[in-house]
Amino acid sequence: MNSPLVPARNISSTLQEEVLSVVLPSGLRVMFCPKPGFKKRYACYSTFYGSVDNSFIDHNGAECRVPDGIAHFLEHMLFETEEGNVSDLFSRNGAYNNAATSFTTTTYLFASSDRFYENLKLLINFVEKPVFHPDKVEKERGIIDQEIKGYGDEPSWVSYMGVLENLFAKHPMRIDIAGTSESIQEIDSDLLHRCYRTFYSPRNMILFVVGDLDASELFDFVAANSVAPDGASVARPVERRYPDESPGVFRSEAQREMAVALPKLLVGFKDQETPMTGVDAVLHELTSELALEILFGRSSDTYQSLYEQQLIMDDFGASYSQGAGVGYAMVGGDTPEPDRLHDVLYSSLNERLTAGINAEDFDREKRRFIGGFIASFNSLEYIASHYTYYEFHEFNLFEAVDLLSRVTLDSVMDRLRSLVDASRSTRFTIEPRS
């Protein structure tokens, strides 16, 4: 059967990959990356909606402020269908499934080798036909409360959120993705419906499939099984509201005692003037990641020195994240001497900012960074998740390699000077409980 939908083609000769895409009448974007010869097929259904989206204009045009953690609560509720828990249904079909809510997105996914279209129909149905019975909402509230308490016992998550709470005074990036035990008590069926109608609009979602499949058959199948809600084609674009955030950090340091064998130190840096979407946003993000890798990666002089001094363990690392108009860097890990590690880190930073980056080190790390990016395309999950992420931010993932080639030593140094500013830094320490 020939599909009436004519897909657009996005081809990368560098990566030797292509993505075909169509937009259904509902506004849903359906994307497919062919992988001939791969036995596993993978699909993810994502909405550009995360935990930071707690203040917005709803589908009726009304101002809305919802309890913290509702995006994550909504993710949990979609798993409860009239036929039972959707994970059990996937298991019967021999598929692995999962879901995740981040600060900015929510994704539902599965992977299977057989019975792919049965599983794809199941994915589409449970995402598009939610059930918010009050008794199931109450049941899920208890489960999520236990999950929140469990995260409170995870040193890595506690330190990560501790840095964010230090960095941001008002922005919802400082709020735990799952909310709090108190905030989830305010969530009910009506609020879940309201958020679903606003953010699970087809125009705000992407269905991405990757594997060895026939493109026409796939697009026909999705078009036949995806049911657009009433008014989807004329639904209003999502309008989000984020508070104005001051350039300085909210708190310069904090610490907590936990049942750990070694102390843990995380140093955070608050970025400024973070682009929201497009080429500028992605270039900003990639340059930041490369700069931190050069500075703190395992082949860097700083890492080798810290390791030889026995100030860091294998979990030491640095990362950069951005979204919803803010950005931040974090560096650290387990350490026997958090105060000394803190001082040495700042000393290394000042030295590098003064002396600059060696041109040979820059060229080597840039080549390795690009090589790692290209190698990631062997992963079906990477292709689907990252293509979707960048699509939400109005950028073509295949152009990232060319974008990385434009990164220069001077641009990395400029990015470092702006990002790792001591006046916009904080520290969070976890000490062993006495």
Side-chain angles (χ1 to χ4, degrees), residues 273-416:
E273 298 179 2
T274 307
M276 290 280 282
T277 59
V279 173
D280 289 343
V282 178
L283 184 60
H284 188 91
E285 180 180 48
L286 294 175
T287 306
S288 301
E289 291 174 357
L290 177 58
L292 291 172
E293 183 64 24
I294 293 172
L295 207 57
F296 299 113
R298 298 207 165 205
S299 62
S300 67
D301 293 340
T302 300
Y303 183 93
Q304 295 301 321
S305 175
L306 293 172
Y307 200 82
E308 289 169 3
Q309 295 178 66
Q310 298 183 339
L311 283 175
I312 59 174
M313 304 294 120
D314 288 339
D315 70 329
F316 179 85
S319 65
Y320 179 81
S321 298
Q322 66 182 40
V326 296
Y328 55 90
M330 291 193 194
V331 56
D334 292 340
T335 175
E337 301 180 68
D339 290 337
R340 186 172 166 223
L341 174 60
H342 179 269
D343 293 343
V344 174
L345 280 175
Y346 274 88
S347 176
S348 299
L349 280 174
N350 290 332
E351 181 179 336
R352 182 56 61 93
L353 291 175
T354 301
I357 296 171
N358 180 278
E360 291 182 2
D361 291 343
F362 169 76
D363 290 337
R364 182 184 64 251
E365 287 303 318
K366 180 179 173 180
R367 287 194 301 270
R368 194 174 70 82
F369 196 78
I370 294 175
F373 177 82
I374 294 173
S376 298
F377 280 80
N378 291 320
S379 165
L380 307 189
E381 293 84 354
Y382 180 92
I383 295 171
S385 63
H386 283 70
Y387 202 101
T388 298
Y389 168 80
Y390 284 119
E391 184 71 18
F392 280 143
H393 290 86
E394 301 174 17
F395 181 77
N396 174 6
L397 174 63
F398 290 168
E399 295 177 3
V401 174
D402 293 333
L403 206 57
L404 279 167
S405 67
R406 288 165 42 189
V407 176
T408 64
L409 177 56
D410 288 341
S411 66
V412 167
M413 281 305 306
D414 288 343
R415 186 82 277 271
L416 272 180

Side-chain angles (χ1 to χ4, degrees), residues 136-179:
K136 291 189 175 182
V137 173
E138 196 58 40
K139 174 188 172 185
E140 207 61 38
R141 195 190 318 278
I143 295 171
I144 294 172
D145 188 39
Q146 291 301 313
E147 185 178 330
I148 291 170
K149 291 173 181 175
Y151 278 121
D153 292 329
E154 289 287 339
S156 295
W157 185 249
V158 170
S159 57
Y160 188 89
M161 288 308 305
V163 169
L164 293 183
E165 290 171 9
N166 285 355
L167 288 176
F168 301 107
K170 298 178 180 179
H171 198 281
M173 194 71 77
R174 73 188 311 273
I175 300 168
D176 194 295
I177 291 170

Side-chain angles (χ1 to χ4, degrees), residues 22-57:
V22 299
V23 180
L24 300 185
S26 65
L28 174 66
R29 286 167 282 179
V30 184
M31 300 183 170
F32 171 54
C33 178
K35 280 289 188 179
F38 276 61
K39 186 168 178 57
K40 185 172 79 170
R41 290 88 171 254
Y42 180 89
C44 64
Y45 204 165
S46 305
T47 173
F48 194 11
Y49 171 47
S51 64
V52 297
D53 299 315
N54 55 18
S55 181
F56 53 90
I57 306 298

Side-chain angles (χ1 to χ4, degrees), residues 109-126:
L109 59 92
F110 78 87
S112 68
S113 299
D114 303 310
R115 304 172 70 176
F116 174 79
Y117 282 106
E118 289 181 51
N119 290 311
L120 182 59
K121 184 174 182 179
L122 180 56
L123 175 69
I124 293 170
N125 284 348
F126 93 83

